[in-house]
Structures are given as C-alpha cells and as structure tokens.
Amino acid sequence: QVHVMESGGDSVQAGDSLRLSCVASGDTICISAMGWFRQTPGKEREVIAGINSGGYTYYADSVKGRFTLSRDYSKNTISLQMSSLKIDDTGVYFCKVDPPAGPLPCSSDGYWGQGTRVDVSP
C-alpha cells in the first residue's frame, strides 16, 4: 500500500504565494503518476495539476501560469508552488498517487492523502 501525506496549507491573502508538498511512501511499485486535486464546498473534487512517471505535466486552465508543479522522483514527493493566489483558490487540496498500469498488487483507484486546507482572503 501507499501512504500519502500533504503539508503546507495555510491562510493567506489574495496575491500571496504558498507552497504545498506531498510525500508518498510504502510500496514504491505502486507509485507512478502524482497530482493535486482541489475541493471546494458544493463542487466536485477537481484536478489542479499532475505529473506522470515520464515527467509530463498537466495544469488546469484555472491555474496555468500561476502554479508550478515539481517532482523529486528519488523521494516520491511533489510540490505545488502557488503564486498570485486568488480567493477562488480556496479549498482543500488533496494529493493523489496513481499506480502504473498492469497486473500489480496496487489499488486501481489510487491513493489519496487527507488533504491540506488553503484559505485565500481578500
């Protein structure tokens, strides 16, 4: 199994910057893609940014140009550098780990962390 832990959430003001971190540990054969999701009240959890094992990085349109995702493959960590934060960026940020495709003893649903909260005020 894989344990996922996020950190870095905080209360900030609009325009500020914040860095979130996520570390995955456990069965490393089950760690392939990693990414960040955001959940706000009344909305479904949405993907914000992700990076696969080959380094391909994806960003949601709402964060392009403001957020930067980086990954340390040797430590199974990802970081999300968030700049020019907006009130709409408020929410709980979850880190998710997806296993590689194939017949592996991994959860096909992936692994989630408990979330870290970001509050952006005017």
Side-chain angles (χ1 to χ4, degrees), residues 1 6 12 14 18 24-25 31 34-35 44 48 50 55-57 63 70 79 82 87 92 96 110 112 117:
Q1 296 302 308
E6 307 97 334
V12 297
L18 196 63
S25 59
I31 299 173
M34 299 181 70
E44 292 187 2
I48 295 300
Y56 173 79
T57 306
V63 306
S70 59
S79 295
M82 305 186 293
I87 296 173
V92 180
K96 187 188 181 194
W112 291 92
R117 183 165 185 85

Side-chain angles (χ1 to χ4, degrees), residues 8 10 12-19 66 80-85:
D10 204 349
V12 297
Q13 291 187 314
D16 284 351
S17 298
L18 196 63
R19 187 177 184 89
R66 299 188 299 121
L80 186 66
Q81 179 65 45
M82 305 186 293
S83 302
S84 303
L85 282 163

Side-chain angles (χ1 to χ4, degrees), residues 2-84:
V2 176
H3 180 65
V4 181
M5 182 176 293
E6 307 97 334
S7 62
D10 204 349
S11 296
V12 297
Q13 291 187 314
D16 284 351
S17 298
L18 196 63
R19 187 177 184 89
L20 305 182
S21 296
C22 169
V23 57
S25 59
D27 293 331
T28 56
I29 62 169
C30 296
I31 299 173
S32 182
M34 299 181 70
W36 288 97
F37 290 68
R38 178 172 67 202
Q39 186 153 29
T40 55
K43 293 185 179 180
E44 292 187 2
R45 195 173 295 187
E46 60 175 341
V47 60
I48 295 300
I51 184 167
N52 65 12
S53 58
Y56 173 79
T57 306
Y58 164 84
Y59 295 97
D61 287 342
S62 60
V63 306
K64 280 182 182 176
R66 299 188 299 121
F67 291 10
T68 302
L69 181 64
S70 59
R71 181 170 180 172
D72 186 331
Y73 288 87
S74 67
K75 298 180 180 178
N76 291 316
T77 62
I78 58 171
S79 295
L80 186 66
Q81 179 65 45
M82 305 186 293
S83 302
S84 303

Side-chain angles (χ1 to χ4, degrees), residues 90-110:
T90 293
V92 180
Y93 286 70
F94 294 88
C95 180
K96 187 188 181 194
V97 173
D98 283 322
L104 297 172
C106 308
S107 169
S108 58
D109 293 328

